[in-house]
Amino acid sequence: SAVISQKPSRDICQRGTSLTIQCQVDSQVTMMFWYRQQPGQSLTLIATANQGSEATYESGFVIDKFPISRPNLTFSTLTVSNMSPEDSSIYLCSVLSGQFGNTIYFGEGSWLTVV
Amino acid sequence: QKEVEQNSGPLSVPEGAIASLNCTYSDRGSQSFFWYRQYSGKSPELIMSIYSNGDKEDGRFTAQLNKASQYVSLLIRDSQPSDSATYLCAVNIPRRGGSNYKLTFGKGTLLTVNP
């Protein structure tokens, strides 16, 4: 499986600020995704990061709040904009990989606390 | 009905026992099914994937799939304290728009294996 590195791994952010999370993969992957896991909850897909075009957002998530970049097949960023305490979550970068190319693997996650 | 539902936890078993984790899904068109393990403070890691009806064994883990009943389960034999974690069921539910691949996760079952 691909090795996925995220940074920052953890941060405490002030309300109203924005933070960009970076995701680096050690091999080229076609599909990259960003998930959110709020405290005590399961994982929710934010968007699919598309290389060279705009990300595809899931219902309830918008580009103004969560702008995503995917400049190449190994790198993506997620920005959490104008943060509020409700944005305190784990943000997970993930890729589609595996023997049959249909398994999702996760990075270590970015733990964000908004104060 | 939720897209992916897991049996409510937490589940507590003694060391050496069999732990049984259950999951149901709503979309009959689903083709890929996964179990992830998530330790506290860590990101999810893939345990098992299953695509065909029946059982699939990997060491102490057995995944069982019954598409007619829309049911997938994970059995952990000879449970160890190190198996104590949250287990997430994930299903690839077919999409008719937007991104063509999306894993939908259940809320997870917290398993505790007591020494």
Side-chain angles (χ1 to χ4, degrees), chain A residues 42-43, chain B residues 1-9 20-27 30 32-35 64-66 69-74 86-93 103-110:
Chain A
S42 190
L43 284 76
Chain B
Q1 181 186 4
K2 292 193 172 85
E3 292 181 298
V4 179
E5 290 198 70
Q6 295 185 236
N7 54 326
S8 58
S20 177
L21 303 161
N22 304 314
C23 175
T24 58
Y25 59 95
S26 60
D27 195 318
S30 302
S32 307
F33 308 87
F34 306 87
W35 284 99
Q64 299 174 318
L65 176 61
N66 183 326
S69 300
Q70 295 173 238
Y71 173 93
V72 58
S73 66
L74 180 70
T86 296
Y87 289 81
L88 299 164
C89 172
V91 178
N92 180 15
I93 294 179
L103 266 195
T104 300
F105 286 81
K107 288 196 168 186
T109 300
L110 177 61

Side-chain angles (χ1 to χ4, degrees), chain A residues 11-71:
Chain A
D11 208 339
I12 298 174
C13 308
Q14 294 295 318
R15 186 192 303 247
T17 63
S18 300
L19 182 78
T20 296
I21 303 167
Q22 297 181 2
C23 177
Q24 180 73 54
V25 189
D26 70 341
S27 58
Q28 293 186 341
V29 292
T30 304
M31 300 192 78
M32 294 179 73
F33 309 89
W34 287 97
Y35 281 82
R36 180 176 75 179
Q37 187 175 30
Q38 293 177 302
Q41 303 297 312
S42 190
L43 284 76
T44 301
L45 180 63
I46 297 172
T48 301
N50 300 310
Q51 192 265 328
S53 64
E54 191 173 288
T56 304
Y57 289 85
E58 297 297 310
S59 176
F61 297 96
V62 295
I63 189 172
D64 290 347
K65 176 67 175 177
F66 297 101
I68 288 171
S69 78
R70 176 102 190 264

Side-chain angles (χ1 to χ4, degrees), chain A residues 10 31 33 35 37 40-45 48 56 58 90 92 96 100-109 111, chain B residues 6 32 34 36 38 41-46 49 51 88-89 92 95 98-108:
Chain A
R10 195 175 296 272
M31 300 192 78
F33 309 89
Y35 281 82
Q37 187 175 30
Q41 303 297 312
S42 190
L43 284 76
T44 301
L45 180 63
T48 301
T56 304
E58 297 297 310
I90 307 166
L92 293 151
L96 195 62
F100 303 107
N102 60 356
T103 302
I104 288 213
Y105 295 93
F106 290 92
E108 310 100 326
W111 267 248
Chain B
Q6 295 185 236
S32 307
F34 306 87
Y36 288 82
Q38 186 174 25
K42 300 291 186 181
S43 64
E45 59 178 320
L46 181 69
S49 59
Y51 309 102
L88 299 164
C89 172
N92 180 15
R95 306 294 297 276
S99 171
N100 59 6
Y101 191 95
K102 177 184 177 182
L103 266 195
T104 300
F105 286 81
K107 288 196 168 186

